[in-house]
Amino acid sequence: MSTAARATSIPAGVPADVAADGNGPRWLKALLASPTTLVGGVLLAVIALACFLMPWLGHMDAYATNTSAMLAAPGASGHLMGTDNVGRDLFARVLLGGKASLTVGFSAALIAGIVGLVVGLYSAYYPRLGYMLMRICDGLMAFPAILFGIVFVGSFGQTTRSVVLALSIVFIPMVARVVRSATLANMNENYVQVLVNLGAGGNRILWRNIALNVIGEWIVEVTFVFADAILVEAAMSFIGAGIPQPHPSWGNMLYDSRTYIYSAWWLTVFPGVALALTVFVINMFGDGLREVLDPKKRR
């Protein structure tokens, strides 16, 4: 097939550097050539699989207490990470705490990402609507994420659902601003003016053309929101406003360990390392995606 024929076969609104060539999609080759993205993605998958599958496959009970094995050191009595102050297995609680934190972070990032994408696209394409939407976003961004979460959970009850909704709302403006900025940049491209002259409607231009060109920035921002949501949830749980007890999360595990920080170091170290490592891996994956999805670096 000639070069001209291949160019005409690319769907409208899809950049040429995203389209597949004779050796496959260029973004896939860039992904395979990015060690940061591969390492981050593999480590994130390992952490997620461990948190979601190991407790189920190993029939671990994170709630069973054993008063004869309270504050057992790592490795003692068959407990890999030791036990807490009431004899519960710390390894099982770290894994289930990771499951809770990952679930809350992913859910909040997904909801904030979808709503932020819609708000960002329409606020850029329709200026009057965009003015009102951006002022609402400015108002939400005026509240610190933790403060907003505490107020929201205090108003609607301390449940996992309330925590997810609070974090989703507080992170929508961040996604919306990134998408709006990328959409405004794309509206200056020639293909948008051509589509307008051809009589294409706003929804068609936004969702079948512009959205395809801002999806890269959107994905990268959602990964960072994922990491930020896990951190905020941990902070809320640490002060007693996050995942309700007795359900484990890394935040409330760190809160419970504060009394034993000198006598039982493992209660602080293992949940803290798990939290820091997970956030680091997600940010690594997001930085790698930024390089892969940057059209200037793909060319």
Side-chain angles (χ1 to χ4, degrees):
M1 184 182 291
S2 65
T3 304
R6 286 199 304 270
T8 57
S9 63
I10 298 175
V14 179
D17 57 343
V18 178
D21 56 22
N23 297 321
R26 295 185 182 180
W27 65 265
L28 180 59
K29 293 191 295 182
L31 179 64
L32 296 177
S34 173
T36 301
T37 311
L38 288 178
V39 172
V42 170
L43 290 177
L44 181 58
V46 169
I47 292 172
L49 290 174
C51 292
F52 281 87
L53 293 182
M54 284 189 66
W56 176 63
L57 294 176
H59 303 287
M60 298 179 180
D61 189 350
Y63 303 98
T65 60
N66 184 1
T67 55
S68 63
M70 294 187 301
L71 298 178
S77 304
H79 298 285
L80 181 62
M81 293 183 179
T83 62
D84 63 6
N85 58 316
V86 292
R88 294 174 297 192
D89 183 70
L90 190 62
F91 183 51
R93 291 185 65 79
V94 167
L95 291 177
L96 284 183
K99 178 181 178 181
S101 296
L102 288 171
T103 300
V104 170
F106 179 80
S107 301
L110 182 63
I111 296 173
I114 293 174
V115 177
L117 177 65
V118 175
V119 171
L121 287 173
Y122 281 97
S123 63
Y125 197 81
Y126 299 102
R128 292 184 179 178
L129 176 62
Y131 179 82
M132 293 186 294
L133 292 176
M134 287 300 102
R135 298 298 74 77
I136 295 175
C137 289
D138 291 341
L140 290 174
M141 294 183 70
F143 294 93
I146 297 178
L147 177 60
F148 183 88
I150 294 173
V151 173
F152 190 93
V153 170
S155 301
F156 295 96
Q158 188 177 356
T159 63
T160 302
R161 180 179 300 177
S162 296
V163 175
V164 170
L165 288 177
L167 296 179
S168 301
I169 294 172
V170 81
F171 285 119
I172 285 174
M174 300 181 183
V175 180
R177 285 185 170 276
V178 171
V179 174
R180 180 176 181 270
S181 177
T183 302
L184 289 173
N186 275 270
M187 287 177 61
N188 295 324
E189 298 292 336
N190 292 331
Y191 76 89
V192 175
Q193 189 60 45
V194 171
L195 290 170
V196 172
N197 294 337
L198 291 175
N203 287 328
R204 181 189 184 282
I205 296 174
L206 282 176
W207 293 106
R208 297 186 60 183
N209 301 96
I210 295 179
L212 297 176
N213 289 325
V214 304
I215 199 70
E217 291 88 341
W218 177 77
I219 291 175
V220 172
E221 184 63 20
V222 168
T223 60
F224 292 137
V225 168
F226 185 14
D228 290 342
I230 291 177
L231 279 177
V232 175
E233 180 276 321
M236 291 176 59
S237 296
F238 184 80
I239 60 178
I243 303 298
Q245 294 277 15
H247 303 295
S249 77
W250 289 330
N252 60 36
M253 291 176 68
L254 290 172
Y255 174 80
D256 292 337
S257 70
R258 73 196 189 284
T259 308
Y260 309 95
I261 191 170
Y262 296 110
S263 59
W265 56 266
W266 53 91
L267 297 182
T268 302
V269 170
F270 289 123
V273 169
L275 174 62
L277 179 62
T278 301
V279 173
F280 173 76
V281 166
I282 295 174
N283 283 327
M284 178 192 297
F285 184 60
D287 285 333
L289 285 178
R290 176 181 291 170
E291 297 178 1
V292 170
L293 298 173
D294 187 352
K296 295 180 180 179
K297 296 183 179 181
R298 288 200 305 261
R299 293 192 178 105

